[in-house]
PDB file of all heavy atoms in Angstrom:
ATOM      1  N   MET A  58      13.435   5.514  -1.731  1.00 98.00           N
ATOM      2  CA  MET A  58      13.477   7.023  -1.862  1.00 98.00           C
ATOM      3  C   MET A  58      12.393   7.486  -2.753  1.00 98.00           C
ATOM      4  O   MET A  58      11.726   8.522  -2.422  1.00 98.00           O
ATOM      5  CB  MET A  58      14.846   7.419  -2.460  1.00 98.00           C
ATOM      6  CG  MET A  58      16.028   7.316  -1.529  1.00 98.00           C
ATOM      7  SD  MET A  58      17.588   7.427  -2.415  1.00 98.00           S
ATOM      8  CE  MET A  58      17.336   8.850  -3.462  1.00 98.00           C
ATOM      9  N   LYS A  59      12.144   6.773  -3.867  1.00 97.00           N
ATOM     10  CA  LYS A  59      11.055   7.167  -4.782  1.00 97.00           C
ATOM     11  C   LYS A  59       9.733   7.150  -4.102  1.00 97.00           C
ATOM     12  O   LYS A  59       8.870   8.000  -4.306  1.00 97.00           O
ATOM     13  CB  LYS A  59      11.107   6.224  -6.007  1.00 97.00           C
ATOM     14  CG  LYS A  59      10.097   6.656  -7.090  1.00 97.00           C
ATOM     15  CD  LYS A  59      10.238   5.697  -8.270  1.00 97.00           C
ATOM     16  CE  LYS A  59       9.211   6.082  -9.340  1.00 97.00           C
ATOM     17  NZ  LYS A  59       9.368   5.259 -10.597  1.00 97.00           N
ATOM     18  N   GLU A  60       9.537   6.142  -3.214  1.00 97.00           N
ATOM     19  CA  GLU A  60       8.275   6.022  -2.532  1.00 97.00           C
ATOM     20  C   GLU A  60       8.228   6.809  -1.149  1.00 97.00           C
ATOM     21  O   GLU A  60       7.184   6.907  -0.572  1.00 97.00           O
ATOM     22  CB  GLU A  60       8.053   4.555  -2.196  1.00 97.00           C
ATOM     23  CG  GLU A  60       7.962   3.663  -3.461  1.00 97.00           C
ATOM     24  CD  GLU A  60       7.928   2.165  -3.079  1.00 97.00           C
ATOM     25  OE1 GLU A  60       8.124   1.853  -1.925  1.00 97.00           O
ATOM     26  OE2 GLU A  60       7.765   1.326  -4.018  1.00 97.00           O
ATOM     27  N   CYS A  61       9.362   7.443  -0.865  1.00 97.00           N
ATOM     28  CA  CYS A  61       9.527   8.143   0.401  1.00 97.00           C
ATOM     29  C   CYS A  61       9.060   7.323   1.538  1.00 97.00           C
ATOM     30  O   CYS A  61       8.282   7.674   2.404  1.00 97.00           O
ATOM     31  CB  CYS A  61       8.700   9.484   0.431  1.00 97.00           C
ATOM     32  SG  CYS A  61       9.317  10.642   1.739  1.00 97.00           S
ATOM     33  N   ARG A  62       9.604   6.093   1.601  1.00 97.00           N
ATOM     34  CA  ARG A  62       9.359   5.126   2.665  1.00 97.00           C
ATOM     35  C   ARG A  62      10.685   4.685   3.269  1.00 97.00           C
ATOM     36  O   ARG A  62      11.688   4.749   2.616  1.00 97.00           O
ATOM     37  CB  ARG A  62       8.595   3.921   2.096  1.00 97.00           C
ATOM     38  CG  ARG A  62       7.225   4.250   1.599  1.00 97.00           C
ATOM     39  CD  ARG A  62       6.577   3.027   0.888  1.00 97.00           C
ATOM     40  NE  ARG A  62       6.523   1.878   1.802  1.00 97.00           N
ATOM     41  CZ  ARG A  62       6.123   0.696   1.388  1.00 97.00           C
ATOM     42  NH1 ARG A  62       5.834   0.470   0.134  1.00 97.00           N
ATOM     43  NH2 ARG A  62       6.080  -0.339   2.232  1.00 97.00           N
ATOM     44  N   ARG A  63      10.627   4.161   4.467  1.00 97.00           N
ATOM     45  CA  ARG A  63      11.818   3.620   5.121  1.00 97.00           C
ATOM     46  C   ARG A  63      12.469   2.553   4.256  1.00 97.00           C
ATOM     47  O   ARG A  63      13.702   2.496   4.031  1.00 97.00           O
ATOM     48  CB  ARG A  63      11.537   3.124   6.488  1.00 97.00           C
ATOM     49  CG  ARG A  63      12.731   2.578   7.283  1.00 97.00           C
ATOM     50  CD  ARG A  63      12.304   2.207   8.728  1.00 97.00           C
ATOM     51  NE  ARG A  63      13.395   1.570   9.472  1.00 97.00           N
ATOM     52  CZ  ARG A  63      14.334   2.216  10.184  1.00 97.00           C
ATOM     53  NH1 ARG A  63      14.316   3.530  10.210  1.00 97.00           N
ATOM     54  NH2 ARG A  63      15.247   1.555  10.847  1.00 97.00           N
ATOM     55  N   TYR A  64      11.618   1.610   3.810  1.00 98.00           N
ATOM     56  CA  TYR A  64      12.081   0.549   2.946  1.00 98.00           C
ATOM     57  C   TYR A  64      10.897   0.056   2.090  1.00 98.00           C
ATOM     58  O   TYR A  64       9.755   0.415   2.357  1.00 98.00           O
ATOM     59  CB  TYR A  64      12.664  -0.620   3.723  1.00 98.00           C
ATOM     60  CG  TYR A  64      11.777  -1.232   4.810  1.00 98.00           C
ATOM     61  CD1 TYR A  64      10.776  -2.128   4.478  1.00 98.00           C
ATOM     62  CD2 TYR A  64      11.867  -0.863   6.130  1.00 98.00           C
ATOM     63  CE1 TYR A  64       9.956  -2.612   5.435  1.00 98.00           C
ATOM     64  CE2 TYR A  64      11.064  -1.331   7.156  1.00 98.00           C
ATOM     65  CZ  TYR A  64      10.088  -2.265   6.761  1.00 98.00           C
ATOM     66  OH  TYR A  64       9.258  -2.794   7.752  1.00 98.00           O
ATOM     67  N   SER A  65      11.220  -0.696   1.019  1.00 97.00           N
ATOM     68  CA  SER A  65      10.193  -1.219   0.140  1.00 97.00           C
ATOM     69  C   SER A  65       9.624  -2.520   0.607  1.00 97.00           C
ATOM     70  O   SER A  65       8.424  -2.745   0.735  1.00 97.00           O
ATOM     71  CB  SER A  65      10.790  -1.336  -1.271  1.00 97.00           C
ATOM     72  OG  SER A  65       9.852  -1.979  -2.141  1.00 97.00           O
ATOM     73  N   GLU A  66      10.566  -3.554   0.929  1.00 97.00           N
ATOM     74  CA  GLU A  66      10.082  -4.862   1.288  1.00 97.00           C
ATOM     75  C   GLU A  66      10.645  -5.266   2.716  1.00 97.00           C
ATOM     76  O   GLU A  66       9.997  -5.963   3.440  1.00 97.00           O
ATOM     77  CB  GLU A  66      10.456  -5.880   0.240  1.00 97.00           C
ATOM     78  CG  GLU A  66       9.768  -5.650  -1.109  1.00 97.00           C
ATOM     79  CD  GLU A  66      10.223  -6.687  -2.137  1.00 97.00           C
ATOM     80  OE1 GLU A  66       9.958  -7.907  -1.836  1.00 97.00           O
ATOM     81  OE2 GLU A  66      10.738  -6.298  -3.149  1.00 97.00           O
ATOM     82  N   THR A  67      11.856  -4.920   2.931  1.00 97.00           N
ATOM     83  CA  THR A  67      12.493  -5.208   4.270  1.00 97.00           C
ATOM     84  C   THR A  67      13.561  -4.190   4.523  1.00 97.00           C
ATOM     85  O   THR A  67      14.024  -3.483   3.628  1.00 97.00           O
ATOM     86  CB  THR A  67      13.127  -6.655   4.272  1.00 97.00           C
ATOM     87  OG1 THR A  67      13.440  -7.011   5.641  1.00 97.00           O
ATOM     88  CG2 THR A  67      14.338  -6.698   3.371  1.00 97.00           C
ATOM     89  N   ASP A  68      13.918  -4.022   5.800  1.00 97.00           N
ATOM     90  CA  ASP A  68      14.843  -2.925   6.205  1.00 97.00           C
ATOM     91  C   ASP A  68      16.218  -3.196   5.606  1.00 97.00           C
ATOM     92  O   ASP A  68      16.923  -4.143   6.045  1.00 97.00           O
ATOM     93  CB  ASP A  68      14.863  -2.865   7.732  1.00 97.00           C
ATOM     94  CG  ASP A  68      15.526  -1.636   8.229  1.00 97.00           C
ATOM     95  OD1 ASP A  68      16.359  -1.051   7.542  1.00 97.00           O
ATOM     96  OD2 ASP A  68      15.258  -1.213   9.422  1.00 97.00           O
ATOM     97  N   LEU A  69      16.630  -2.339   4.672  1.00 98.00           N
ATOM     98  CA  LEU A  69      17.948  -2.503   4.035  1.00 98.00           C
ATOM     99  C   LEU A  69      19.046  -2.458   5.098  1.00 98.00           C
ATOM    100  O   LEU A  69      20.072  -3.181   4.943  1.00 98.00           O
ATOM    101  CB  LEU A  69      18.125  -1.376   2.997  1.00 98.00           C
ATOM    102  CG  LEU A  69      19.524  -1.359   2.314  1.00 98.00           C
ATOM    103  CD1 LEU A  69      19.817  -2.693   1.533  1.00 98.00           C
ATOM    104  CD2 LEU A  69      19.579  -0.083   1.345  1.00 98.00           C
ATOM    105  N   ASN A  70      18.876  -1.625   6.101  1.00 97.00           N
ATOM    106  CA  ASN A  70      19.999  -1.513   7.093  1.00 97.00           C
ATOM    107  C   ASN A  70      20.054  -2.613   8.082  1.00 97.00           C
ATOM    108  O   ASN A  70      20.615  -2.490   9.199  1.00 97.00           O
ATOM    109  CB  ASN A  70      19.835  -0.164   7.831  1.00 97.00           C
ATOM    110  CG  ASN A  70      21.177   0.444   8.093  1.00 97.00           C
ATOM    111  OD1 ASN A  70      22.132   0.318   7.308  1.00 97.00           O
ATOM    112  ND2 ASN A  70      21.328   1.165   9.174  1.00 97.00           N
ATOM    113  N   ARG A  71      19.324  -3.730   7.814  1.00 97.00           N
ATOM    114  CA  ARG A  71      19.504  -4.947   8.621  1.00 97.00           C
ATOM    115  C   ARG A  71      19.930  -6.088   7.680  1.00 97.00           C
ATOM    116  O   ARG A  71      19.830  -7.327   8.061  1.00 97.00           O
ATOM    117  CB  ARG A  71      18.143  -5.283   9.296  1.00 97.00           C
ATOM    118  CG  ARG A  71      17.629  -4.267  10.261  1.00 97.00           C
ATOM    119  CD  ARG A  71      18.526  -4.026  11.403  1.00 97.00           C
ATOM    120  NE  ARG A  71      18.028  -3.023  12.369  1.00 97.00           N
ATOM    121  CZ  ARG A  71      18.205  -1.733  12.295  1.00 97.00           C
ATOM    122  NH1 ARG A  71      18.923  -1.212  11.285  1.00 97.00           N
ATOM    123  NH2 ARG A  71      17.712  -0.921  13.161  1.00 97.00           N
ATOM    124  N   CYS A  72      20.433  -5.797   6.475  1.00 97.00           N
ATOM    125  CA  CYS A  72      20.716  -6.807   5.478  1.00 97.00           C
ATOM    126  C   CYS A  72      22.189  -7.015   5.240  1.00 97.00           C
ATOM    127  O   CYS A  72      22.554  -7.651   4.194  1.00 97.00           O
ATOM    128  CB  CYS A  72      19.985  -6.452   4.149  1.00 97.00           C
ATOM    129  SG  CYS A  72      18.233  -6.579   4.227  1.00 97.00           S
ATOM    130  N   PHE A  73      23.070  -6.517   6.103  1.00 97.00           N
ATOM    131  CA  PHE A  73      24.494  -6.563   5.808  1.00 97.00           C
ATOM    132  C   PHE A  73      25.287  -7.495   6.701  1.00 97.00           C
ATOM    133  O   PHE A  73      26.510  -7.358   6.831  1.00 97.00           O
ATOM    134  CB  PHE A  73      25.050  -5.170   5.828  1.00 97.00           C
ATOM    135  CG  PHE A  73      24.602  -4.281   4.679  1.00 97.00           C
ATOM    136  CD1 PHE A  73      23.444  -3.523   4.861  1.00 97.00           C
ATOM    137  CD2 PHE A  73      25.103  -4.374   3.467  1.00 97.00           C
ATOM    138  CE1 PHE A  73      22.969  -2.688   3.942  1.00 97.00           C
ATOM    139  CE2 PHE A  73      24.635  -3.632   2.400  1.00 97.00           C
ATOM    140  CZ  PHE A  73      23.552  -2.737   2.554  1.00 97.00           C
ATOM    141  N   THR A  74      24.627  -8.472   7.393  1.00 96.00           N
ATOM    142  CA  THR A  74      25.422  -9.494   8.067  1.00 96.00           C
ATOM    143  C   THR A  74      26.165 -10.353   7.126  1.00 96.00           C
ATOM    144  O   THR A  74      25.733 -10.503   5.919  1.00 96.00           O
ATOM    145  CB  THR A  74      24.488 -10.351   8.906  1.00 96.00           C
ATOM    146  OG1 THR A  74      23.578 -11.106   8.101  1.00 96.00           O
ATOM    147  CG2 THR A  74      23.614  -9.552   9.946  1.00 96.00           C
ATOM    148  N   SER A  75      27.209 -10.944   7.511  1.00 96.00           N
ATOM    149  CA  SER A  75      27.936 -11.858   6.664  1.00 96.00           C
ATOM    150  C   SER A  75      27.102 -13.022   6.152  1.00 96.00           C
ATOM    151  O   SER A  75      27.260 -13.495   5.050  1.00 96.00           O
ATOM    152  CB  SER A  75      29.215 -12.394   7.365  1.00 96.00           C
ATOM    153  OG  SER A  75      30.064 -11.271   7.643  1.00 96.00           O
ATOM    154  N   SER A  76      26.204 -13.420   7.011  1.00 95.00           N
ATOM    155  CA  SER A  76      25.294 -14.551   6.650  1.00 95.00           C
ATOM    156  C   SER A  76      24.411 -14.220   5.520  1.00 95.00           C
ATOM    157  O   SER A  76      24.233 -14.944   4.528  1.00 95.00           O
ATOM    158  CB  SER A  76      24.478 -14.970   7.870  1.00 95.00           C
ATOM    159  OG  SER A  76      23.494 -15.966   7.525  1.00 95.00           O
ATOM    160  N   ILE A  77      23.769 -12.968   5.588  1.00 96.00           N
ATOM    161  CA  ILE A  77      22.915 -12.547   4.496  1.00 96.00           C
ATOM    162  C   ILE A  77      23.644 -12.321   3.208  1.00 96.00           C
ATOM    163  O   ILE A  77      23.256 -12.712   2.097  1.00 96.00           O
ATOM    164  CB  ILE A  77      22.085 -11.284   4.876  1.00 96.00           C
ATOM    165  CG1 ILE A  77      21.112 -11.642   6.020  1.00 96.00           C
ATOM    166  CG2 ILE A  77      21.384 -10.707   3.716  1.00 96.00           C
ATOM    167  CD1 ILE A  77      20.454 -10.413   6.628  1.00 96.00           C
ATOM    168  N   LEU A  78      24.828 -11.723   3.384  1.00 97.00           N
ATOM    169  CA  LEU A  78      25.626 -11.369   2.152  1.00 97.00           C
ATOM    170  C   LEU A  78      26.204 -12.603   1.452  1.00 97.00           C
ATOM    171  O   LEU A  78      26.595 -12.555   0.297  1.00 97.00           O
ATOM    172  CB  LEU A  78      26.714 -10.335   2.513  1.00 97.00           C
ATOM    173  CG  LEU A  78      26.226  -8.955   2.972  1.00 97.00           C
ATOM    174  CD1 LEU A  78      27.411  -8.111   3.366  1.00 97.00           C
ATOM    175  CD2 LEU A  78      25.443  -8.285   1.841  1.00 97.00           C
ATOM    176  N   SER A  79      26.373 -13.704   2.226  1.00 95.00           N
ATOM    177  CA  SER A  79      26.937 -14.891   1.646  1.00 95.00           C
ATOM    178  C   SER A  79      25.866 -15.816   1.141  1.00 95.00           C
ATOM    179  O   SER A  79      26.223 -16.917   0.510  1.00 95.00           O
ATOM    180  CB  SER A  79      27.816 -15.627   2.670  1.00 95.00           C
ATOM    181  OG  SER A  79      27.023 -15.998   3.776  1.00 95.00           O
ATOM    182  N   THR A  80      24.570 -15.560   1.351  1.00 95.00           N
ATOM    183  CA  THR A  80      23.504 -16.422   0.910  1.00 95.00           C
ATOM    184  C   THR A  80      23.125 -15.971  -0.540  1.00 95.00           C
ATOM    185  O   THR A  80      22.808 -14.851  -0.761  1.00 95.00           O
ATOM    186  CB  THR A  80      22.250 -16.279   1.816  1.00 95.00           C
ATOM    187  OG1 THR A  80      22.635 -16.659   3.140  1.00 95.00           O
ATOM    188  CG2 THR A  80      21.121 -17.191   1.318  1.00 95.00           C
ATOM    189  N   PRO A  81      23.077 -16.938  -1.465  1.00 95.00           N
ATOM    190  CA  PRO A  81      22.708 -16.592  -2.865  1.00 95.00           C
ATOM    191  C   PRO A  81      21.342 -15.978  -2.941  1.00 95.00           C
ATOM    192  O   PRO A  81      20.423 -16.357  -2.227  1.00 95.00           O
ATOM    193  CB  PRO A  81      22.762 -17.962  -3.575  1.00 95.00           C
ATOM    194  CG  PRO A  81      23.703 -18.784  -2.749  1.00 95.00           C
ATOM    195  CD  PRO A  81      23.454 -18.355  -1.332  1.00 95.00           C
ATOM    196  N   ILE A  82      21.232 -14.987  -3.820  1.00 93.00           N
ATOM    197  CA  ILE A  82      19.936 -14.326  -4.033  1.00 93.00           C
ATOM    198  C   ILE A  82      19.237 -15.023  -5.169  1.00 93.00           C
ATOM    199  O   ILE A  82      19.763 -15.709  -6.007  1.00 93.00           O
ATOM    200  CB  ILE A  82      20.069 -12.864  -4.279  1.00 93.00           C
ATOM    201  CG1 ILE A  82      20.952 -12.613  -5.506  1.00 93.00           C
ATOM    202  CG2 ILE A  82      20.607 -12.112  -2.999  1.00 93.00           C
ATOM    203  CD1 ILE A  82      21.001 -11.123  -5.925  1.00 93.00           C
ATOM    204  N   SER A  83      17.915 -14.818  -5.219  1.00 93.00           N
ATOM    205  CA  SER A  83      17.065 -15.357  -6.304  1.00 93.00           C
ATOM    206  C   SER A  83      16.045 -14.321  -6.637  1.00 93.00           C
ATOM    207  O   SER A  83      15.987 -13.236  -6.107  1.00 93.00           O
ATOM    208  CB  SER A  83      16.365 -16.648  -5.770  1.00 93.00           C
ATOM    209  OG  SER A  83      15.426 -16.386  -4.797  1.00 93.00           O
ATOM    210  N   ASP A  84      15.237 -14.673  -7.650  1.00 90.00           N
ATOM    211  CA  ASP A  84      14.182 -13.735  -8.109  1.00 90.00           C
ATOM    212  C   ASP A  84      13.182 -13.430  -7.009  1.00 90.00           C
ATOM    213  O   ASP A  84      12.495 -12.380  -7.001  1.00 90.00           O
ATOM    214  CB  ASP A  84      13.420 -14.324  -9.332  1.00 90.00           C
ATOM    215  CG  ASP A  84      14.320 -14.416 -10.584  1.00 90.00           C
ATOM    216  OD1 ASP A  84      15.303 -13.628 -10.567  1.00 90.00           O
ATOM    217  OD2 ASP A  84      13.994 -15.133 -11.444  1.00 90.00           O
ATOM    218  N   SER A  85      13.042 -14.360  -6.007  1.00 94.00           N
ATOM    219  CA  SER A  85      12.128 -14.181  -4.902  1.00 94.00           C
ATOM    220  C   SER A  85      12.707 -13.432  -3.723  1.00 94.00           C
ATOM    221  O   SER A  85      11.987 -13.112  -2.734  1.00 94.00           O
ATOM    222  CB  SER A  85      11.570 -15.513  -4.409  1.00 94.00           C
ATOM    223  OG  SER A  85      12.602 -16.312  -3.872  1.00 94.00           O
ATOM    224  N   SER A  86      14.018 -13.085  -3.821  1.00 96.00           N
ATOM    225  CA  SER A  86      14.663 -12.388  -2.680  1.00 96.00           C
ATOM    226  C   SER A  86      14.025 -10.960  -2.608  1.00 96.00           C
ATOM    227  O   SER A  86      13.839 -10.315  -3.645  1.00 96.00           O
ATOM    228  CB  SER A  86      16.150 -12.274  -2.947  1.00 96.00           C
ATOM    229  OG  SER A  86      16.725 -13.539  -2.918  1.00 96.00           O
ATOM    230  N   PRO A  87      13.829 -10.488  -1.413  1.00 97.00           N
ATOM    231  CA  PRO A  87      13.341  -9.093  -1.270  1.00 97.00           C
ATOM    232  C   PRO A  87      14.246  -8.092  -1.956  1.00 97.00           C
ATOM    233  O   PRO A  87      15.443  -8.277  -2.038  1.00 97.00           O
ATOM    234  CB  PRO A  87      13.254  -8.877   0.235  1.00 97.00           C
ATOM    235  CG  PRO A  87      13.239 -10.229   0.829  1.00 97.00           C
ATOM    236  CD  PRO A  87      13.960 -11.102  -0.089  1.00 97.00           C
ATOM    237  N   TYR A  88      13.655  -7.037  -2.428  1.00 97.00           N
ATOM    238  CA  TYR A  88      14.438  -5.968  -3.143  1.00 97.00           C
ATOM    239  C   TYR A  88      15.638  -5.522  -2.309  1.00 97.00           C
ATOM    240  O   TYR A  88      16.767  -5.407  -2.852  1.00 97.00           O
ATOM    241  CB  TYR A  88      13.562  -4.752  -3.457  1.00 97.00           C
ATOM    242  CG  TYR A  88      14.309  -3.551  -3.907  1.00 97.00           C
ATOM    243  CD1 TYR A  88      14.791  -3.443  -5.197  1.00 97.00           C
ATOM    244  CD2 TYR A  88      14.547  -2.482  -3.047  1.00 97.00           C
ATOM    245  CE1 TYR A  88      15.516  -2.382  -5.603  1.00 97.00           C
ATOM    246  CE2 TYR A  88      15.311  -1.344  -3.485  1.00 97.00           C
ATOM    247  CZ  TYR A  88      15.751  -1.330  -4.745  1.00 97.00           C
ATOM    248  OH  TYR A  88      16.433  -0.242  -5.135  1.00 97.00           O
ATOM    249  N   GLU A  89      15.420  -5.259  -1.013  1.00 98.00           N
ATOM    250  CA  GLU A  89      16.517  -4.757  -0.199  1.00 98.00           C
ATOM    251  C   GLU A  89      17.650  -5.753   0.008  1.00 98.00           C
ATOM    252  O   GLU A  89      18.804  -5.329   0.083  1.00 98.00           O
ATOM    253  CB  GLU A  89      16.022  -4.199   1.092  1.00 98.00           C
ATOM    254  CG  GLU A  89      15.435  -2.782   1.082  1.00 98.00           C
ATOM    255  CD  GLU A  89      14.026  -2.696   0.639  1.00 98.00           C
ATOM    256  OE1 GLU A  89      13.377  -3.794   0.408  1.00 98.00           O
ATOM    257  OE2 GLU A  89      13.491  -1.603   0.532  1.00 98.00           O
ATOM    258  N   VAL A  90      17.330  -7.052  -0.014  1.00 97.00           N
ATOM    259  CA  VAL A  90      18.408  -8.067   0.074  1.00 97.00           C
ATOM    260  C   VAL A  90      19.202  -8.074  -1.188  1.00 97.00           C
ATOM    261  O   VAL A  90      20.461  -8.087  -1.152  1.00 97.00           O
ATOM    262  CB  VAL A  90      17.764  -9.456   0.412  1.00 97.00           C
ATOM    263  CG1 VAL A  90      18.867 -10.522   0.235  1.00 97.00           C
ATOM    264  CG2 VAL A  90      17.150  -9.469   1.758  1.00 97.00           C
TER     265      VAL A  90
END
Side-chain angles (χ1 to χ4, degrees):
M58 286 168 46
K59 184 177 181 180
E60 298 172 353
C61 197
R62 296 172 57 186
R63 181 175 175 86
Y64 56 81
S65 174
E66 296 181 59
T67 192
D68 192 337
L69 176 59
N70 218 33
R71 301 296 183 270
C72 291
F73 293 94
T74 63
S75 296
S76 175
I77 292 174
L78 294 176
S79 63
T80 301
I82 58 173
S83 66
D84 292 341
S85 62
S86 298
Y88 168 77
E89 277 83 5
V90 171

